[in-house]
Amino acid sequence: MNVEPNLKYDEEHEWVRVEGEEGVVGISDYAQDQLSDVVYVELPEVGDTFDRGDILAVVESVKAASDVYMPVSGEVLEINEELDDSPALVNKDPYGEAWLVRITIADPSELDDLLDADAYEAYLESLDE
């Protein structure tokens, strides 16, 4: 599994890339691998606000539908509209082109509760045991 070093992760397999007071949110390589071929992504509306742990989006694959949870509280500033036409980007580039939303980070202290890349890799290894 590919784990990007400069991201924060949660145990539900979402990631956030911090860019100043904003964040970019997506699902991890592990998550997209578990889902298999992604065929649809349901994203929220710009302006929607979420608390940490709220359901942010739904990703559907040929295997199952899976909820995507908000890793930190915030407001949606932008959605990745490319995923409407090309949901398979989630499988091809989960840390790049397949970001889900750009958010304001309402409470930066919530980032402290997320895993860094090393801790997330250790968590993934514990799942295989």
Side-chain angles (χ1 to χ4, degrees):
M1 289 301 120
N2 181 24
V3 176
E4 291 288 313
N6 297 322
L7 304 176
K8 296 289 225 166
Y9 298 86
D10 66 16
E11 292 184 355
E12 298 296 327
H13 309 292
E14 289 82 22
W15 56 262
V16 60
R17 179 175 50 245
V18 179
E19 298 178 349
E21 295 179 6
E22 296 179 2
V24 178
V25 176
I27 66 169
S28 72
D29 188 43
Y30 176 86
Q32 72 77 24
D33 185 63
Q34 294 298 303
L35 284 166
S36 187
D37 297 325
V38 173
V39 295
Y40 178 72
V41 180
E42 180 181 326
L43 296 172
E45 299 289 324
V46 171
D48 287 351
T49 58
F50 296 89
D51 290 328
R52 181 178 177 202
D54 286 352
I55 295 173
L56 171 69
V58 177
V59 176
E60 294 182 17
S61 72
V62 294
K63 279 172 56 171
S66 182
D67 292 332
V68 177
Y69 299 94
M70 190 72 148
V72 294
S73 301
E75 178 181 344
V76 176
L77 299 173
E78 182 182 357
I79 63 169
N80 187 349
E81 294 180 7
E82 273 191 60
L83 296 177
D84 285 342
D85 295 327
S86 303
L89 285 173
V90 172
N91 297 116
K92 293 178 183 145
D93 192 10
Y95 299 118
E97 290 185 46
W99 59 275
L100 301 178
V101 296
R102 177 177 293 278
I103 62 167
T104 58
I105 298 173
D107 183 357
S109 70
E110 290 178 344
L111 294 166
D112 297 336
D113 296 330
L114 298 177
L115 306 171
D116 65 15
D118 290 338
Y120 184 62
E121 283 181 341
Y123 174 68
L124 293 178
E125 287 174 14
S126 76
L127 296 177
D128 293 333
E129 295 174 356

